Every structure is written in structure tokens, then in C-alpha cells.
Amino acid sequence: MTSGVKEGVLLVNLGTPDSPSPADIRQFLRRFLSDKRVIKRPDILWLPVLHGIVLRTRPHKVAKHYAQIRMDEGSPLTVYTTAQRDNLRRQLPHAVVETAMSYSKPYIPDVLETMLDAGVRKLTVIPLYPQYSSSTTGSVFDAVAKHFTGSERIIDLRFVASFGEHPAYITYFADRIRQTVRELGLDGVLFSYHNIPQSYVTDGDRYPFECERTTGLIMQQAGDIPHFMAYQSVFGRGLWMLPTTDHLLRTLPQKGVKRLLVAAPGFVADNIETIWELGAEGRETFLRHGGEKYAYLPTFNKDSELAVILKDLLQ
């Protein structure tokens, strides 16, 4: 990063409920599922479903899951994102490095104002989504652009769209996958990415292609290991990308893959989707359908290697 201008880096993640209570989960889901980047359905069709069904039932269903994964310091996503911010601060001691969340505190507009008040005039925004999607990265771009629309405080602004092909990112996963498969004597690797509706891809979202590219590059380095790729977290009706993670976890044992490693290189911080869906539910599904050994590979979390990658992106 250059000198002479006060520079800042804003790391943005999805967000998480303030607590595992159904009330806080409901508030979080209301913000999240009201984003038109996330749910691209007309309000007249979606809002009655959201307020009449989803927000009445889902918070109570998932509250126990949020409670079970919660750490002493708070929610895993918050704890790990804060650690990643602190790691990057050590890499960039002369920059203002902050974190924000799209759908929970600290909100993007509030953090942007804090950074501007601190004198930041050159800002790089890094959504912590390794692969671009309009429903995640695009939403962050909207929030940042909206904040500066009509503002008198125009700054030098840079936006990182994705980083799932960064050489060090690929090597990080490839090395750990190769080592874990060898040490545990596993049959193969399942790459699980967050799902999006197929209609988003039809409209031009490049997300699945970036996921495929990340998987391919990792396996080029990891070596000759059987591998599979799927998408998790299907929500509601409609056509979603296939195959789903749940389907492969049910069927792989019948195809001879009974000792499985699951990796999620679409996440840089473990959260409800990885800890609960992959670590707990996924394990139970795989073993119930004939699997013999199941291992989930944690992502970066507090690992300082992510900060080294992010610093390289800035340079």
C-alpha cells in the first residue's frame, strides 16, 4: 500500500444473529431475506411467505443449532472475522483495518462513516467470499455504492470481487487436503459450496464457474484423489444448483466412498453452514447411509495465512 494518503481496508462478511434466541434470529433473517439480491422474487409474492411462514417458523427450528455452535466469545463467524481483522492489522500496521457485516452489527454504513471520520481517503473493500456471486459480493457492492451515492465525501475506492483463484489460497487447501486424506486413510474429498437458485446462473451469475475453478485448481495441486463437488443450504422451493451436498452424502457410500473428507473452500470463517450443516448434520447423514469415516476440514478461522493472502491482494 502506498504512503502519503491514509488508507483503509474494510473486510465484510454476511453477519450472524446477535444471540441464539428466536427473536434475534428472526431479526437477522428479516434483514437477510429482505435483500433483493438474496431473494429475487416480487415483494407481492415473497413478503407474505417471509412474514407469514419463514419468520414465524424457522427461528425456532434453528435456535438450538445456533446455541450449540456458539463459542464463549460469541458466534463463530464474529469471533473468526474479528481474528482475521486483527491478523490483517498486524500485516498492515499503517492502515485502518475494520470489519463490517451485511445483515448484523457492525453494519457497513456505520463502519464506513467511522473510517471516513478517521481520515481514510483510499479504501479497499474485500467481501470475505472467495467466489463471486451477485447474492453475496454483489450485495456488499450495493451497500457500499449506496452509502456514497450523493455523498460529499468521495474517496479513492477499490473493490475486490473474488479471490478463490489466488495461488496461496489454492495451496492452503491443497496441502491440507492431501495431508488429511493421507493421515486418515480417506477414500475421497467432497467440496461443498453454498447453493444459489439456478435462475441466478441463468441470469448471468458466474458463481458456479468460480467454484468449479477453485475446486479444479486445488485438485491440480492436491494430486490424484477422487473428488466430488456439490452445493449446500437449499432454501425453499424452486430449482437450485445440483448436485446437492445432502444427496452426495447419501449416495457416495453406495458408490464405494465410505471414508470421506468434506472441505468448504467457499468460506473463510466457519459458521452455522459449516459447523452445523457439514460438521454435524452432514456427518450423521453420511454415517447413517453406510459411510464409515467422516472428517470435516476447518477453513481459515483464526489462521494468519488468510491475512497474508489479503495483504497480497492489496498489493
Side-chain angles (χ1 to χ4, degrees), residues 144-158:
V144 174
K146 181 180 179 181
H147 186 76
F148 286 104
T149 299
S151 173
E152 297 298 325
R153 302 214 271 189
I154 303 300
I155 63 173
D156 184 351
L157 182 64
R158 180 189 177 201

Side-chain angles (χ1 to χ4, degrees), residues 100-113:
M101 300 290 186
S102 290
Y103 308 108
S104 64
K105 297 177 182 178
Y107 295 111
I108 293 172
D110 296 337
V111 179
L112 285 173
E113 281 301 302

